[in-house]
Amino acid sequence: MAVVFKKPHALTDAPFHYCPGCTHGIVHRLVAEVIDELGIEEKTVGVAPVGCSVFAYNYFNCDMVEASHGRAPAVATGLRRSLPDGVIFTYQGDGDLAAIGTAETVHAATRGENITVIFINNAIYGMTGGQMAPTSLPGQVTQTTPYGRDVKIAGNPVRVCEMLATLDGVALAQRVTVDCVKNVNIAKKAIKKAFQYQMEGLGYSIVEVVSTCPTNWGLSPIEALGWLRENMLPYYPLGVYKDIKEGGENK
Amino acid sequence: MAEKVLMKGNEALAEAAIAAGCRHFFGYPITPQTEVAAYMSKRMPKIGGTYLQAESEVAAINMVYGASSAGMRVMTSSSSPGISLKSEGISYLAGADLPALIINVQRGGPGLGGIQPSQSDYWQATRATGHGDFHILVFAPSTVQEMVDLVSEAFDLGDQYRMPAMILSDGMLGQMMEPVVLPEASDKPLPEKPWATNGTRGGRPHNIINSLYITPAELEQLVFERFKKYDEIKEKHQKAECYLTDDAEIVVVAYGASSRIARSAVNTAREQGIKAGLIRPITLWPFPDKAIKAAVPTAKQILCVEMSMGQMVDDVRLAVNGAKPVSFYGRTGGVIPTPAEVLDQIKKLGGVE
Amino acid sequence: MGKITIDENVCKGCEMCVNACPKKIIALAKDKINAKGYHPAQCIAPEQCVGCAACATMCPDVAITVER
């Protein structure tokens, strides 16, 4: 028998600090597998965010930079403009990317900054204990929307891929999820494409991964996958929002 | 021998940065520093460098953080309100031990304040350019030539000690034209940066640029080590010009633009028989307390002159430590004190009416 | 014919693999507690494993190695 599945080289031996069943771990692994398959570990520099994945710099074997909250696209821009043949990616959550870092996100995207962005959307602030995120759903109960998110008071969620797809600098904007084997495989293809587009110099690519937060949703990991399918996917439809090579309105 | 050219402070500073090997500039427009960015936008593309106008000061300083992580010699420039926005990023640079050059062409504050020259960001520069226990190197030129000369020193010391450096200029020095000898482009190689995150090429262990230390003892230890470095800098790199201080009874202390006015007042006072002198701090952090202490024995009175309500005077008082009376004269809000006003103060202190 | 190896010390007992296994041959070891304080997952009928790697694909902690 031969080994057909093992930890990718681009991940360090450090065990993840994430809660049981948190899908961050799956996405970390997919990014690392893509780095392995493309043979780019030695020229890749990753940028970690503030939020649950703040320790991502401990998990990847490539060089890593820890950014301040929301500024990962700006830090990645500085790296991009310094390392012409480097491969630069950011790994960001919904608060980091779509609240405090919205300006950096939009402008890196519209500049066509040649970077790859992995965006984890789990509709909640995990690290601080479950407050409303910019992507929390209407009616969703969080620590800071204890009566459910009232859009008249708290405003509406942000659909990031739809918004960024309108910008000229974006090469790829795709929303995926990791709730089952089939979707994990689709997510990996999207992440690989996002890195390949960068290597071809096509511009900004973003893969939004609709993810779970079992702990702060108050559900078991398996129940959380069900909640994601029933509640998040209708609001955040999966699909390709922009793909400058293969064309791309949604689905 | 390089020839003298007539240049604006802001532009001379930018050209000096290029001569010092800086090839990355990230900025955001704000008066009265705009010439620095405009000059860079003209020059950088011609020498294979990067000029990028960011979406905000916040983004610009974080681009600096990224480029510095990659090991580049990198700078940004702004003016007072913009430095406030950059302060988050400066704290992160300090916390990640990253060198970078930050220019503050000061204007009046607080808030939007005004656009005329001021020195009211002394506290910000030397005490709190962001949250946390840290210092940055702060240089205060008083002429366009000195602005040029301090740029390479700021880059070099920043690299040597792995920390951010600031040139604390102001709207007057930035806008002023003076003859200047520009430095020759340096051909000495920039220092090696084995800590940079520029790819693990050849498979070295991965580098991490980070300011997060969750374990209190670990963070404390790191801050202790940084402060040891700061002590070494205080010992080795204080800089001040002492002008007519050997026998001075009235010692004026002033930096940057206000030191030019103070010098003129000191000269007039000497003509009128008053033993006045000037100490001009060139480094504001480390503050040149040795120069101040050396002037204390002959001094009867010490007068601090600033374009603020009195900020550096705190450091002067700490250095004098109660040995002699320290008084203050300043104008603020973009108003520049006149030599006559400063002379009046010197005369009063000297008992001459 | 396949074989999975679960790193018991890394496993957090989240049951994502239990849920993903098409053969339903993974279960938490209720009689064991690992260093992290979790019941680790284990393969309860190794002879039925086909090495499809569904478990490893869904494992958030990269705790599973698959052979085939």
Side-chain angles (χ1 to χ4, degrees), chain B residues 61 80 101 117 160 343:
Chain B
I61 193 73
S80 310
L101 180 61
Q160 182 185 337
L343 182 62

Side-chain angles (χ1 to χ4, degrees), chain A residues 92-94 97-98 117-121 135 160 206-210:
Chain A
Q92 302 174 258
D94 40 46
L97 183 141
V117 175
I118 309 299
F119 168 40
I120 305 299
N121 176 5
T135 53
V160 169
I206 179 168
V207 177
E208 173 178 346
V209 186
V210 181

Side-chain angles (χ1 to χ4, degrees), chain A residues 156-188:
Chain A
N156 297 287
V158 184
R159 290 190 181 93
V160 169
C161 276
E162 289 85 334
M163 175 176 73
L164 295 183
T166 65
L167 301 174
D168 287 346
V170 175
L172 177 73
Q174 183 169 351
R175 184 181 291 125
V176 298
T177 189
V178 289
D179 67 321
C180 63
V181 172
K182 174 176 152 255
N183 282 335
V184 170
N185 290 333
I186 292 171
K188 182 173 168 184

Side-chain angles (χ1 to χ4, degrees), chain C residues 9-21:
Chain C
N9 290 320
V10 170
C11 177
K12 293 174 188 154
C14 71
E15 299 192 292
M16 297 277 269
C17 56
V18 174
N19 186 57
C21 177

